[in-house]
């Protein structure tokens, strides 16, 4: 793991800027703040910027962790029971801002119109009634390992998590491509477009608000839901691996992949890859102030089950998606400077 621990001196240098920014904007979703983030990030300590740039450019690991960000848990208040409206009056605005700035060093943050009402920064927390649902707000069942948004051509390069609370040390599970024994796998078959991938549950209409209030955006979002339905009904064939055959990138989400009709060779190759991924799976218990950037091309991730209490003390993370090619999703966004994919 590529890791940096912030010192007391780092926190002392960072927080005056974070406090000032938290006072200047109403929420972390303010488009002005998100647009300015790459410029504001230049004020972060130079060794932190160098650390993030090294991770971005040289790919020394599939995981990058920053630890030691100051979090005063007494100031956070209770873990929300829902993600809706949690961005307003956020008690973690300073930490959210630091998270946004670091993410903006690696690329452009973006959101999905079909997830958490089009917000850029998501809350990851248990929701009552979702205990056994295959979605990040579940608790009593494992969240199956996956590439984030594996089904979508505009999926991010990185998925990142910042921990505010994790009293039970619930593990995020990760398996990294550099740890896999590629010599034991049928890599050539996995590079061929013979695999089908369906959308995951977090993009379904029942997990979004009924309307944004903007007819144009509602029309675009309705188009996305129609596409998701069509991808479920008629999934396209695609490869599971891409990039360099000696050091491949991955895109798979077995929970949402139907193997019906796959050629025998490709089915065997896929099963072999899944077995190797599970054999190399490890756990990371995030603590308050930890931020982890997961290379979405080089690692899959999930989460172990836990018993939610719904009493305000449960695990609470923030999540950002990051792309290194925002232009690649231009056909899906209503304007060049809009960060939401419809």
């Amino acid at each position: 793991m590529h890791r940096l621990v912030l010192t007391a001196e780092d926190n002392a240098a960072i927080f005056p800027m974070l406090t000032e920014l938290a006072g200047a904007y109403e929420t972390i979703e303010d488009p002005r703040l998100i647009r300015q983030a790459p410029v504001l990030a230049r004020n972060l300590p130079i060794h932190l910027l160098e650390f993030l740039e090294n991770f971005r450019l040289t790919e020394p690991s599939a995981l990058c962790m920053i630890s030691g960000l100051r979090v005063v848990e007494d100031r956070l208040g209770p873990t929300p029971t829902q993600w809706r409206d949690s961005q307003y009056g956020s008690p973690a605005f300073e930490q959210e801002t630091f998270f946004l700035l670091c993410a903006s060093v690696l690329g452009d943050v973006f959101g999905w119109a079909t997830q958490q009402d089009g917000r850029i920064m998501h809350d990851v927390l248990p929701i009552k009634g979702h205990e056994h649902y295959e979605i990040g707000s579940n608790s009593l069942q494992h969240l199956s390992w996956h590439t984030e948004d594996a089904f979508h051509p505009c999926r991010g390069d990185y998925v990142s998590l910042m921990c505010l609370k994790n009293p039970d040390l619930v593990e995020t599970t990760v398996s990294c491509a550099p740890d896999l024994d590629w010599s034991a796998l049928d890599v050539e078959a996995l590079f061929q477009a013979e695999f089908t991938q369906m959308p995951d549950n977090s993009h379904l209409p029942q997990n979004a608000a009924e309307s944004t209030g903007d007819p144009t955006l509602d029309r675009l979002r309705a188009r996305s839901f129609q596409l998701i339905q069509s991808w479920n009904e008629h999934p396209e064939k695609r490869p599971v691996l891409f990039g360099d055959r000696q050091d491949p990138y991955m895109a798979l989400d077995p929970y949402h992949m139907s193997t019906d009709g796959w050629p025998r060779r490709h089915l065997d190759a896929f099963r072999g890859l899944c077995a190797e991924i599970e054999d190399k799976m490890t756990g990371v218990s995030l603590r308050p102030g930890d931020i982890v950037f997961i290379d979405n091309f080089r690692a899959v991730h999930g989460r172990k089950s836990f018993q939610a209490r719904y009493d305000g003390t449960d695990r609470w993370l923030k999540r950002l998606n990051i792309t290194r090619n925002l232009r690649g999703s231009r056909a899906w966004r209503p304007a060049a400077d809009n960060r939401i994919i419809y």
Side-chain angles (χ1 to χ4, degrees), residues 142-198:
H142 295 326
L143 180 64
S144 303
W145 58 261
H146 59 284
T147 299
E148 191 76 2
D149 303 308
F151 75 97
H152 205 288
C154 303
R155 62 182 173 272
D157 291 74
Y158 310 100
V159 57
S160 51
L161 301 167
M162 178 179 68
C163 178
L164 296 176
K165 297 181 186 180
N166 191 12
D168 304 306
L169 297 180
V170 178
E171 288 187 342
T172 298
T173 53
V174 183
S175 188
C176 302
D179 297 334
L180 306 184
D181 181 5
W182 295 108
S183 67
L185 301 173
D186 189 349
V187 170
E188 191 58 39
L190 294 166
F191 264 84
Q192 295 171 7
E194 293 289 350
F195 308 91
T196 49
Q197 171 74 66
M198 273 69 77

Side-chain angles (χ1 to χ4, degrees), residues 5 8 91 98 103 111 179 200 259:
V5 180
F98 179 74
D179 297 334
D200 64 73
T259 60

Side-chain angles (χ1 to χ4, degrees), residues 237-250:
K237 291 184 177 181
R238 62 182 70 190
V240 166
L241 301 183
F242 60 104
D244 181 3
R245 279 168 167 73
Q246 303 305 312
D247 185 18
Y249 295 146
M250 307 185 292

